[in-house]
Each structure stands twice: as structure tokens, then as C-alpha cells.
Amino acid sequence: MKITMSVIKADIGSVGGHIAPSQKLLESVKQHVREKGRGLLIDSHISSTGDDIAILMTHTHGAGEERVHKLAWDAFVAGTAVAKSQGLYGAGQDLLKDAFSGNVHGMGPAVTEMEFEERPGEPVLFFAADKTDPGAFNFPLYLAFADPMNTPGIMLSPKLGKGFRFVIMDVEHTEGDRVIELSAPEELYDIATLLRDPERYVVESVWSRAAGTQAVSVATSRLHNIAGKYTGKDDPVMLVRTQMDFPATGEVLQPFSVGHFVAGCMRGSHNMPLMPVKMNAPISWFDGPPIVSCTAFCTRGGMLTEPVDAFDHPFWDRVRGHVADKAMDMRRQGFFGAAMLPMNELEYTGIMERLEVIEKRFTVRSMKKAA
Ligand code: F6R
Ligand code: MG
Ligand code: MG
């Protein structure tokens, strides 16, 4: 059976700062999707990661289906009313447009969708990250789908050995989707050359070359490119199908043990390590650290199993400790050098405004003529 999995995610308000949505807010979104999604959706799962609420939906209507997008948009609009009534912080923050127009692309919420023929056993991982941006997934996807040091399946399984096709988007280009397709392993160095710059080039999807089927789908929106001003980091979501023609679940999870540095954290303006956390985890230290959750499902006829928390295991407690150490080490150097993002990635305008004033006070010393 061919099914579509759609994830639409937004920050529409949170308790105690940019920490986590309230239970009442979550419940209102759940109730909306449950009631209005009847007859449209096969199944759904609503969760939070930091201050974001993600609506995961299964259906048969394909990607970009207006009714599915409208359902999520309306759920967020209804949630925003609840957020406002509770005095939640940043109520409706990610709803950048007033009226729904066809689909939620470019309207604020992050979207990722994948249409696929269900296999007899269909394991899917749903990743949600907060206090960072879509480039955060470049590193784990490169390792999981292109590096046999991470994924022994690339050597051990003839299917994986045929390699993977990466679709990569230039997210600086706002006039339309500027994409390139590159195949691993032949074009590995080209893939590496792009993915080393995660603020500009972002993996949008990954495909098995052996089966021609899609393994990965990432939400690539950059909010500040849409709004033209600071609106918070872009807090991406990602779907990954695993096993058989694709890397095993453990091969996909492994790169997250590195705690690689990503853009985000406090005021969306720092480099901080990405911490794998349990489902529905809040934000804390230094408005971070940037976090990622991973919920595992299987589907049959679009029906989801119960969610299993892929990062709720003693192994990841050790990783979390390691990532906290890395984060505190970086924080010790405050705003200096690599700790803070370069000028064009800062999410607030204060530094630019200050620089404009200081610039005028610079003088150029006249050079003494050589004797
Ligand atoms: C980062 C983030 C927070 C806020 C910070 C200040 O993405 O959401 O770190 O930037 O808490 O928030 P405001 O400007 O809303 O007071
Ligand atoms: Mg927020
Ligand atoms: Mg967020």
C-alpha cells in the first residue's frame, strides 16, 4: 500500500520562556487533529521537542495535499488561541502569515513529507530538533548514508553497497528551490564540499540507488529567509526509513553520539553541540543545548505502532553527559571566535546596529613616506 507520511511542526507558544508547550496547548492540538482529521488521515502522532509541537500524520493523499496542510495549520491556529489564553510566551510565533493559502510551505511551520510503498515491515524514525536549523542533519546523514566507517552495511550488504543519492538544497536561494542531486560514493567529495557548510547547503532527501526508493526527508525551511527578520531558529524535523535497502536503525542513530556542533542555542546565535534527548524533552541550560529527539515507529496500512523512544537507553545518558561537558567548555569562551555564529547568521540585529555606529569612529592613519 502506498502511504504518505507528513510532519508539520511549529512553535506556537511555550511555558516559562522558550522551554516547552503547556499540556493544555498540546491537548488542544491533539483534539483538533483527532476531530477534524477524521476521514482524512489514517493515523497521527503529536509530540513536543523543546518549544515545538510536531504533528505527524499518515494518509494516502500524497505530499503537499491542501486538506492535510490546512488541518495542521488550523490546529496551530486553534492552539495559538489556547496559548494566548494561558499567557504562553511567543504565542503563534511560527505562524508568519494571516491566512492559509494552499499549503504551509513558506508560512512558518516546518514541513517534511514522504510518499512510499509500504514494505511488509516498515520501520520509520521521526527526528525533531529544537534550538538549531536544518543543516544540523547534514553530519549524521553523511555518516549514515555515505561513510562505511559509520555504516558497515555499506560494505556488508550488496544493496547498500550500490550507494545513495543525495538531494541537496541551497537554502540561501529564496526565489525558488535550488537543488542538486549527487551520488555516493562516486561524488562523495562533491557531497562533502557542500555539506561542510550546513547554513547554506542542506540535505533535503536521500534515496537508495539499489531500490530507487526514498529513505530520508528533511524539512529545509529557513525562517529568517521567509520572514526577512529574526523569528527564532528553524528547528527541523526529519523522517528516516531504515533497514533492508537502507541503513539499520542503529547505523542511523550512531552519528548522534558525537554531539556535533550546530548553529543555534541561546538567541539562535551560537555554536553548541547537539544533545540527543528523550521524547517531549524541554529546553533548559543557556536556552539549549540544541536538542534532537528520535521516535521510532512501524506502520501497517498507515497505522502507526506505539512510539518507541530511540534515545531512552542508558547508552545515551553517557552521551548526554559528554555533550553537556562539550557545551560547557564552549560556553567558557563566551562570545569569542567559534563560540558565536558569524555576523550573517546572528538572529538578532544588535551587533549590526552597534557596528554601524562604531564604524564611523574608525580613522585611517596616514602612512609615513619611506625615507
Ligand atoms: C533561540 C530562542 C531563545 C530566545 C531567547 C530570547 O532560538 O528561542 O534563545 O532567543 O530566549 O528570547 P526573546 O527575544 O523572545 O526574549
Ligand atoms: Mg521558540
Ligand atoms: Mg523551537
Side-chain angles (χ1 to χ4, degrees), residues 273-287:
L274 184 65
M275 181 182 280
V277 293
K278 295 178 191 175
M279 299 184 323
N280 306 310
I283 285 297
S284 176
W285 175 86
F286 200 49
D287 280 8

Side-chain angles (χ1 to χ4, degrees), residues 190-329:
D190 296 329
I191 294 172
T193 299
L194 296 181
L195 299 193
R196 60 134 231 123
D197 186 359
E199 304 316 303
R200 170 140 193 205
Y201 300 108
V202 173
V203 178
E204 181 195 53
S205 59
V206 183
W207 301 71
S208 155
R209 291 171 75 192
T213 47
Q214 187 171 1
V216 176
S217 171
V218 182
T220 52
S221 59
R222 297 290 316 264
L223 284 181
H224 75 254
N225 293 348
I226 297 169
K229 61 176 169 47
Y230 171 76
T231 51
K233 274 282 173 227
D234 312 286
D235 306 341
V237 284
M238 167 167 83
L239 292 167
V240 183
R241 297 167 70 208
T242 61
Q243 308 293 148
M244 303 281 288
D245 297 329
F246 308 133
T249 295
E251 288 168 333
V252 174
L253 295 179
Q254 179 173 240
F256 292 94
S257 64
V258 170
H260 62 295
F261 285 96
V262 297
C265 208
M266 177 58 73
R267 296 182 184 274
S269 302
H270 293 81
N271 278 310
M272 276 291 160
L274 184 65
M275 181 182 280
V277 293
K278 295 178 191 175
M279 299 184 323
N280 306 310
I283 285 297
S284 176
W285 175 86
F286 200 49
D287 280 8
I291 57 173
V292 59
S293 62
C294 177
T295 313
F297 297 97
C298 275
T299 74
R300 187 75 181 155
M303 288 298 294
L304 299 164
T305 57
E306 75 272 27
V308 173
D309 192 337
F311 290 141
D312 185 4
H313 183 281
F315 176 85
W316 298 101
D317 292 336
R318 176 82 180 271
V319 169
R320 287 187 267 271
H322 169 66
V323 174
D325 286 342
K326 273 178 86 162
M328 288 187 288
D329 275 348

